[in-house]
Amino acid sequence: MDRAACERLDRADPLRALRAQFELPEGIVYLDGNSLGALPKATARRVGDAIRGEWGRGLIRSWNDAGWIDLARRVGDDLAQLLGAGRGQVVVGDSTSVNLYKVLSVAADLQCKDRPSARVLLSERSNFPTDLYIAESVAAQRGLELLLVEHDALLAALGPHVAAVLWTHVNYRTGRMLPMAEVNRAAHAHGAAVVWDLAHSAGAVPLALTGAADIDADADFAVGCGYKYLNGGPGAPGFAWVHPRHLRRLEAEGGRQPLSGWMGHAAPFAFEPGYRPADGIQRFATGTPPVLALRALECGVATLAAAGPAGGMAAVRAKSVALTDLFIRLVEDRCGGCGLTCITPRRPEERGSQVSLVHPHAFPVMQALIARGIVGDFRADPDGAAGSGILRFGFTPLYTQFADVWAAAEQLAEVLSTEAWRDPRYAQRGAVT
């Protein structure tokens, strides 16, 4: 496929108008939305209004007058629509790591209470490191074993000894997407609960956490971040979702999550010395809502809601599949024999919205691409050969064009064929790689 054909695809794209929602620097092809989403144009104005008007003039009155106190709930309800969850089922605030600690602790406690002999937390060896670090803490605090397995060994590792499974829906390194419904059914058959990290799927693939569809029905717990495909800005608040059946049980048994802060109290402004958990998902809130960050996330979530008239998340997913299909084909056509190995599944149902390529010199290759205006990112590959790494390309359907895909493949082919990556400046590493 040539550039002209890609431009024809862009003209026929039902989501093409949504690109205008974003600030995209001239001359840059941005393929790193799986790490940090682009800036929505509405965000600067909205956050500026919150700073100058709500904070500057309204001062503390804005907790009531500007609705700050309910902002996390409102953003949670907006986000719930993208997760296939109901209103009042998503709490927004804290980081993904903190939210994971809360829900994984509750999952482990509930399961161990029901099945004292279940003493294992199960996860994937290549899971995102912070997830594994949090799981280590939860396991150590409860005297449990953290068992790490390879991706293909997940279902075989299930059994009556497993209390909870911690899995990332879309793997951050490979882009591989797990069949959520299948994993949930298999885990439940053995009595285990499943905690899902949706950091690389929320806003990129359709979800149905409460079982409203057969995509990934009957999940138990989920967490995720707001700064990738949700476009909420660097360090945007994360979110947590808990299935209503677990919330009902917590309410009936007086259960609580381990970080029981004042915003999870039944009456925060009663200032009681003792903790009484709020009803529902609100008991998973902890500290004061980060108002300015929530205003930014509110704008990010709205960029996805804008896809509704064009087909919503189904249209977003269809374009994602088309973009990633095209990139894989173009790379295979233009970069054969250049040392690249695609580790992202070819089957659309097995991948998220990114393509990952292994190369012996991935870091300088990516730096050479960035210097040419093609922005992806690099991830170390601890399981690979010495010096090798992963080139990650994220495709955000709201603003990525088919012509962008063509340009990225062309520049990648040129960097590899000319060995432009050998320039010593591309080997210099910053604190963030």
Side-chain angles (χ1 to χ4, degrees):
M1 181 177 290
D2 59 15
R3 184 180 183 91
C6 290
E7 290 173 346
R8 287 194 294 272
L9 289 175
D10 286 326
R11 289 193 292 273
D13 175 17
L15 300 178
R16 66 188 182 279
L18 300 185
R19 180 178 166 91
Q21 297 181 105
F22 297 91
E23 296 282 357
L24 296 167
E26 189 71 27
I28 295 294
V29 171
Y30 190 65
L31 301 180
D32 209 9
N34 56 316
S35 190
L36 175 65
L39 171 66
K41 291 179 179 177
T43 302
R45 182 184 67 253
R46 187 68 191 91
V47 174
D49 289 344
I51 292 172
R52 292 186 298 270
E54 296 172 2
W55 179 14
R57 292 188 292 275
L59 295 169
I60 201 167
R61 295 169 298 177
S62 289
W63 282 107
N64 289 316
D65 295 350
W68 286 356
I69 194 62
D70 297 319
L71 183 56
R73 176 187 56 78
R74 296 198 304 273
V75 175
D77 285 345
D78 292 342
L79 180 53
Q81 297 180 58
L82 303 177
L83 304 178
R87 294 178 64 82
Q89 293 183 357
V90 177
V91 63
V92 178
D94 298 320
S95 67
T96 306
S97 299
V98 172
N99 286 321
L100 177 58
Y101 177 75
K102 290 186 278 191
V103 302
L104 185 58
S105 295
V106 170
D109 290 344
L110 291 177
Q111 290 298 305
C112 291
K113 181 177 181 180
D114 291 342
R115 298 183 299 126
S117 61
R119 308 299 296 170
V120 170
L121 299 183
L122 178 64
S123 192
E124 183 179 11
R125 190 178 308 280
S126 66
N127 209 339
F128 193 71
T130 194
D131 288 17
L132 300 183
Y133 306 157
I134 294 296
E136 284 183 8
S137 294
V138 172
Q141 290 162 6
R142 289 159 178 78
L144 305 177
E145 175 190 357
L146 175 60
L147 175 62
L148 304 181
V149 299
E150 302 301 330
H151 170 83
D152 294 332
L154 166 64
L155 298 184
L158 289 168
H161 58 294
V162 176
V165 179
L166 167 59
W167 224 255
T168 299
H169 189 214
V170 175
N171 185 278
Y172 83 103
R173 288 199 294 175
T174 65
R176 180 187 293 271
M177 183 166 66
L178 281 169
M180 190 178 281
E182 179 183 347
V183 173
N184 289 338
R185 286 194 297 269
H188 293 164
H190 291 283
V194 187
V195 177
W196 289 99
D197 184 337
L198 305 179
H200 287 83
S201 49
V205 300
L207 295 162
L209 292 177
T210 52
D214 292 331
I215 303 167
D216 47 12
D218 204 24
D220 292 296
F221 304 86
V223 298
C225 67
Y227 48 81
K228 300 183 190 297
Y229 295 104
L230 296 176
N231 308 309
F239 63 86
W241 170 85
V242 179
H243 195 285
R245 65 172 171 265
H246 298 305
L247 290 175
R248 289 192 293 269
R249 178 178 176 182
L250 289 172
E251 291 177 4
E253 298 179 2
R256 54 199 282 182
Q257 51 98 348
L259 299 177
S260 46
W262 76 312
M263 282 296 158
H265 192 280
F269 290 93
F271 296 107
E272 300 171 359
Y275 183 75
R276 289 187 295 120
D279 290 337
I281 194 65
Q282 188 60 33
R283 71 179 55 209
F284 281 83
T286 302
T288 304
V291 171
L292 300 181
L294 284 168
R295 286 299 191 204
L297 180 57
E298 184 179 36
C299 294
V301 173
T303 63
L304 284 148
M313 286 305 301
V316 169
R317 177 60 178 163
K319 185 177 176 184
S320 165
V321 169
L323 291 167
T324 50
D325 272 342
L326 175 61
F327 186 68
I328 292 171
R329 293 201 311 271
L330 290 174
V331 169
E332 289 177 344
D333 289 345
R334 289 159 170 75
C335 304
C338 293
L340 288 173
T341 302
C342 182
I343 58 173
T344 301
R346 291 297 303 265
R347 290 163 58 91
E349 63 271 24
E350 295 179 359
R351 69 171 181 264
S353 200
Q354 75 180 57
V355 176
S356 297
L357 309 170
V358 172
H359 189 270
H361 305 282
F363 181 81
V365 168
M366 181 54 73
Q367 298 312 301
L369 282 173
I370 292 172
R372 292 165 179 245
I374 309 297
V375 181
D377 69 16
F378 161 85
R379 287 294 178 265
D381 184 13
D383 299 325
S388 70
I390 299 170
L391 301 159
R392 295 196 316 171
F393 300 90
F395 299 87
T396 306
L398 297 186
Y399 52 78
T400 304
Q401 302 177 116
F402 290 94
D404 294 335
V405 176
W406 182 88
E410 286 293 296
Q411 290 296 325
L412 177 59
E414 186 171 333
V415 165
L416 294 173
S417 64
T418 64
E419 296 192 342
W421 57 268
R422 291 189 181 276
D423 188 318
R425 60 184 165 151
Y426 299 139
Q428 302 301 313
R429 301 196 182 201
V432 177
T433 60

